[in-house]
């Protein structure tokens, strides 16, 4: 990517951070149409609400993102096949596929416990270096006027012996609203931790606990920003109470307090 | 080009110049995009009641103080005629505006200034235009704090006529620390003037603010809790070893 393309990409990312997050999908498509050289890089960088596809082998739904995409087809975590079918698809190793199957099952349990419904799909893929691999955990819940999408991207690297490092970049996209009040947006956070692996399945528990911890943290953050921060900002702009009266009250209190102070000094 | 230029109309409060720069950069400053941005800016400045500075004082551009083409006049007792460059929002004074200001407009203007002092933060602006029969009130409340990753604005516009106040109030908040969160809320207002225009507006706006706070509380209590729980029903975090073991047992049974 040339320097000028990098600048255009930065401008596109900046624009998507400023324009209404509820329109991220259409704005992203619009920018890609206006500037095709940066389109591919932009599509793989920007998180947007997850698409749902159907695995025609077993009629099960699954979530799609750039990580399980090959051309216009998406790999299903259920059958490991691409829909629509493609010739010569990218394949993952048996070892990684086995882990992927277990990870999907474990996150089914997680999803039921925290979301009581919705969809979850996990994808893993091999990295060039030996035991290293990467993956993504996707979760989605759609309600009448609200939608939650979480995208947890993972990089797992062998450090030494039994020790592995887990790098996590998580984005939650949350649209929520009723009547004339609409809140939409996304937050992204990164974290890294190390943990031991004695047998391959330990990766599942390590990843599971790490994603759970991160998602709980992000839910708390969303709570604070969506319902606390926004209200504080509105309250800062306009006060329901009369500020002149508030200031006069404070002045009176100060006078009383200083009056008491001088009396005590006596 | 008109499509991408239209994003200018949805720029968060205080971020319009950054949005414009981004659009120019993405489209590599083509002449056609500059033209499209200019048209869009002219439209959205008036529609969104954007603030401009004229001779050191802030005023809005709106259909209510529009004279002709790019010429508008300022609010207050000594209005000034000015020309706006819509894309840069720079203004140039073009002498005094010679039409006499209605005494009713001035009366409401001074009420609004008193009201702003009592209820709005310092950066806020209130403008009244119109004549003896009909007055237009615009109140822009804003708190821009990009260093703290947020910008917020309320935009209220009312028409006062025949002892009625009709209009709309909108709130728009952008929070962007490692993310992009936007709150938008709006409400139509229609009320009979009781006591004074200012007191009527004050009471309606307080109602709107209470309603907004209530909506946020309700969304937090219902939608947010239902979409994802804080903790599982068991109040325990997931037992991952068991989650995997449970799956393995199921798989073994299935294989038998």
């Amino acid at each position: 990517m040339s320097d000028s393309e990098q600048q255009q990409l930065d401008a596109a990312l900046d624009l998507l951070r400023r324009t209404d997050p509820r329109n991220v999908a259409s704005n992203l498509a619009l920018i890609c149409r206006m500037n095709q050289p940066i389109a591919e890089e932009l599509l793989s960088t920007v998180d947007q609400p997850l698409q749902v596809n159907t695995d025609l082998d077993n009629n099960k739904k699954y979530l799609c993102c750039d990580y399980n995409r090959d051309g216009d087809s998406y790999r299903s975590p259920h059958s490991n096949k691409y829909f629509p079918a493609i010739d010569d698809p990218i394949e993952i190793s048996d070892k990684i596929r086995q882990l992927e199957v277990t990870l999907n099952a474990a996150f089914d349990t997680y999803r039921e416990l925290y979301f009581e419904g919705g969809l979850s799909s996990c994808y893993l893929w091999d990295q060039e270096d030996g035991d290293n691999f990467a993956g993504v955990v996707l979760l989605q819940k759609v309600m009448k006027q609200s939608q939650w999408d979480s995208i947890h991207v993972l990089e797992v690297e062998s450090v030494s012996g039994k020790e592995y490092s887990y790098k996590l970049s998580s984005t939650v996209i949350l649209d929520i609203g009723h009547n004339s009040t609409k809140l939409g947006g996304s937050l992204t956070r990164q974290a890294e931790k190390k943990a031991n692996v004695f047998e391959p399945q330990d990766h599942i528990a390590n990843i599971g606990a790490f994603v759970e911890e991160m998602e709980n943290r992000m839910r708390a953050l969303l709570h604070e920003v969506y319902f606390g921060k926004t209200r504080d900002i509105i309250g800062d702009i306009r006060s329901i109470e009369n500020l002149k009266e508030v200031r006069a009250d404070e002045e009176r209190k100060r006078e009383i307090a200083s009056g008491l102070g001088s009396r005590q000094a006596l | 080009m008109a499509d991408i230029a239209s994003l200018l109309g949805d720029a968060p409060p205080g971020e319009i110049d950054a949005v414009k720069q981004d659009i120019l950069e993405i489209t590599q400053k083509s002449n056609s995009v500059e033209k499209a941005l200019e048209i869009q800016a002219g439209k959205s400045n008036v529609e969104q009641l954007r603030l401009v500075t004229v001779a050191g004082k802030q005023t809005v551009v709106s259909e209510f103080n529009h004279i002709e083409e790019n010429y508008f006049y300022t609010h207050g007792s000594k209005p000034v005629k000015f020309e706006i460059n819509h894309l840069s929002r720079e203004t140039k004074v073009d002498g005094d505006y010679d039409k006499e200001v209605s005494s009713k407009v001035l009366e409401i203007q001074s009420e609004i200034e008193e009201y702003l002092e009592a209820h709005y933060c310092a950066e806020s602006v209130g403008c009244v235009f119109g004549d003896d029969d009909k007055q237009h009130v615009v109140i822009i409340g804003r708190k821009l704090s990009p260093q703290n990753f947020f910008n917020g604005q309320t935009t209220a516009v009312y028409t006062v006529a025949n002892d009625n106040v009709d209009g709309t109030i909108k709130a728009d908040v952008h929070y962007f620390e490692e993310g992009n969160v936007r709150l938008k809320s709006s409400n139509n207002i229609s009320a009979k003037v009781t006591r004074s225009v200012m007191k009527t507006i004050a009471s309606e706006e307080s109602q709107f603010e209470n309603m907004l706070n209530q909506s946020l509380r309700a969304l937090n209590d219902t939608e947010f809790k239902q979409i994802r729980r804080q903790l599982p029903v068991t109040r325990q975090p997931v037992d991952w070893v068991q989650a995997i073991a449970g799956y393995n047992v199921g798989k073994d049974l299935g294989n038998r």
Side-chain angles (χ1 to χ4, degrees):
Chain A
M1 181 165 269
S2 68
D3 281 359
S4 67
E5 276 175 9
Q6 186 61 49
Q7 272 177 21
Q8 290 155 27
L9 181 68
D10 290 346
L13 293 171
D14 189 71
L15 185 60
L16 291 168
R17 271 193 294 270
R18 294 183 190 278
T19 44
D20 196 328
R22 266 177 303 260
N23 304 333
V24 63
S26 58
N27 289 347
L28 186 58
L30 178 61
I31 296 170
C32 290
R33 271 207 310 281
M34 300 307 299
N35 188 330
Q36 283 166 2
I38 63 167
E40 198 178 332
E41 183 73 24
L42 196 60
L43 285 169
S44 68
T45 314
V46 177
D47 294 311
Q48 46 179 331
L50 301 163
Q51 301 289 319
V52 179
N53 211 357
T54 305
D55 183 327
L56 297 173
D57 265 21
N58 42 40
N59 213 23
K60 278 185 180 164
K61 300 232 179 296
Y62 64 98
L63 296 169
C64 305
C65 68
D66 212 47
Y67 297 106
N68 63 326
R69 184 176 68 87
D70 191 345
D72 294 326
S73 298
Y74 292 91
R75 186 166 68 88
S76 159
H78 308 298
S79 63
N80 198 22
K81 285 184 186 161
Y82 280 85
F83 297 93
I86 45 168
D87 295 331
D88 200 17
I90 307 164
E91 280 180 33
I92 56 171
S93 67
D94 286 348
K95 198 177 80 185
I96 288 296
R97 172 61 187 160
Q98 247 175 6
L99 267 186
E100 187 184 83
V101 169
T102 318
L103 190 65
N104 272 287
F107 268 97
D108 263 345
T109 306
Y110 172 88
R111 181 181 48 74
E112 272 308 323
L113 288 169
Y114 279 100
F115 292 86
E116 299 172 304
L119 273 175
S120 57
S121 299
C122 309
Y123 302 98
L124 298 179
W125 57 95
D126 301 271
Q127 297 284 60
E128 277 175 24
D129 255 359
D131 278 348
N132 299 350
F133 63 96
V136 65
V137 175
L138 308 174
L139 292 142
Q140 181 182 72
K141 183 160 169 190
V142 179
M143 296 184 6
K144 223 176 179 177
Q145 296 193 74
S146 308
Q147 180 168 335
W148 173 297
D149 287 282
S150 28
I151 300 156
H152 303 278
V153 182
L154 279 152
E155 274 177 54
V156 184
E157 280 177 25
S158 162
V159 180
S160 62
K162 302 282 175 215
E163 197 177 41
Y164 280 78
S165 102
Y166 297 83
K167 278 190 200 138
L168 183 59
S169 174
S170 298
T171 297
V172 177
I173 308 171
L174 175 65
D175 272 10
I176 199 161
H178 75 166
N179 304 333
S180 59
T181 301
K182 308 263 180 243
L183 273 156
S186 66
L187 295 176
T188 300
R189 294 295 181 268
Q190 277 91 27
E192 187 176 351
K193 81 170 183 188
K194 293 196 170 71
N196 288 329
V197 173
F198 298 98
E199 48 182 307
Q201 293 218 338
D202 293 343
H203 279 305
I204 308 296
N206 291 344
I207 292 171
F210 196 18
V211 167
E212 181 177 18
E213 182 194 323
M214 179 68 127
E215 210 175 71
N216 284 339
R217 212 178 95 203
M218 292 195 71
R219 186 190 183 278
L221 198 62
L222 287 163
H223 176 261
E224 188 189 316
V225 171
Y226 276 54
F227 306 108
K229 195 83 198 161
T230 54
R231 207 180 57 193
D232 290 350
I233 295 167
I234 299 284
D236 278 353
I237 294 172
R238 186 187 181 278
S239 157
I240 292 178
E241 286 173 72
N242 187 323
L243 292 168
K244 279 196 220 159
E245 287 166 15
V246 172
R247 279 190 285 263
D249 265 4
E250 280 167 5
E251 188 58 31
R252 265 198 299 281
K253 276 181 200 149
R254 252 198 308 277
E255 276 168 21
I256 293 168
S258 68
L260 285 175
S262 53
R263 207 171 301 159
Q264 273 166 359
L266 289 170
Chain B
M1 290 297 171
D3 283 354
I4 194 153
S6 73
L7 295 180
L8 204 60
D10 192 36
E15 296 176 47
I16 179 163
D17 289 328
V19 166
K20 181 180 75 192
Q21 285 311 322
D22 287 338
I23 295 172
L24 286 170
E25 182 67 46
I26 292 165
T27 55
Q28 293 149 76
K29 304 185 178 70
S30 77
N31 290 333
S32 59
V33 82
E34 282 188 31
K35 189 76 211 141
L37 280 172
E38 217 175 290
I39 295 169
Q40 178 62 46
K43 212 174 96 187
S44 63
N45 284 345
V46 175
E47 278 173 7
Q48 315 261 339
L49 305 145
R50 291 219 169 97
L51 290 171
V52 290
T53 305
V54 182
K57 215 179 124 199
Q58 286 200 302
T59 194
V60 293
V61 286
S62 72
E63 58 179 294
F64 313 120
N65 59 331
H66 186 215
I67 303 169
E68 54 175 11
E69 290 170 2
N70 293 341
Y71 291 89
F72 295 81
Y73 66 91
T74 57
H75 66 279
S77 57
K78 290 195 185 76
V80 167
K81 185 179 171 185
F82 66 92
E83 187 185 4
I84 181 176
N85 173 332
H86 278 297
L87 201 49
S88 66
R89 291 188 324 291
E90 279 164 5
T91 61
K92 206 165 69 195
V93 175
D94 188 48
D96 293 336
Y97 182 56
D98 48 15
K99 227 175 95 187
E100 203 184 322
V101 187
S102 132
S103 59
K104 187 78 190 151
V105 166
L106 288 178
E107 186 192 313
I108 300 177
Q109 179 71 47
S110 85
E111 282 185 19
I112 291 298
E113 269 155 31
E114 196 185 318
Y115 169 56
L116 286 178
E117 225 177 292
H119 289 276
Y120 274 88
C121 68
E123 294 121 286
S124 308
V125 180
C127 309
V128 187
F129 304 105
D131 52 34
D132 283 339
D133 299 328
K134 200 189 237 182
Q135 300 82 41
H136 304 283
V137 180
V138 177
I139 301 172
I140 309 288
R142 59 172 12 191
K143 182 101 188 171
L144 304 182
S145 196
Q147 67 279 14
N148 295 314
F149 306 103
F150 75 79
N151 289 313
Q153 179 169 321
T154 59
T155 306
V157 52
Y158 307 105
T159 299
V160 185
N162 307 321
D163 275 339
N164 270 310
V165 175
D166 294 285
T168 330
I169 180 161
K170 285 192 273 195
D172 186 350
V173 175
H174 185 217
Y175 178 85
F176 49 100
E177 185 174 17
E178 289 184 74
N180 177 7
V181 174
R182 192 89 172 253
L183 162 75
K184 283 183 186 166
S185 183
S186 67
N187 198 34
N188 292 331
I189 282 168
S190 183
K192 195 115 197 101
V193 174
T194 48
R195 291 183 293 172
S196 72
V197 170
M198 176 189 86
K199 291 210 163 79
T200 309
I201 290 177
S203 133
E204 291 295 323
E205 291 196 344
S206 289
Q207 256 181 55
F208 167 70
E209 208 177 325
N210 280 324
M211 183 211 79
L212 179 55
N213 289 343
Q214 228 166 8
S215 307
L216 290 174
R217 245 195 315 274
L219 282 175
N220 182 23
D221 290 343
T222 56
E223 296 279 305
F224 189 59
K225 288 211 167 102
Q226 283 165 21
I227 208 156
R228 188 194 181 274
R229 302 182 61 94
Q230 193 177 354
L231 273 175
V233 191
T234 54
R235 308 219 148 260
Q236 299 290 320
V238 173
D239 182 339
W240 288 94
V241 174
Q242 204 182 21
I244 301 160
Y247 164 70
N248 284 338
V249 169
K251 193 172 66 176
D252 290 346
L253 287 175
N255 285 345
R256 223 170 266 172

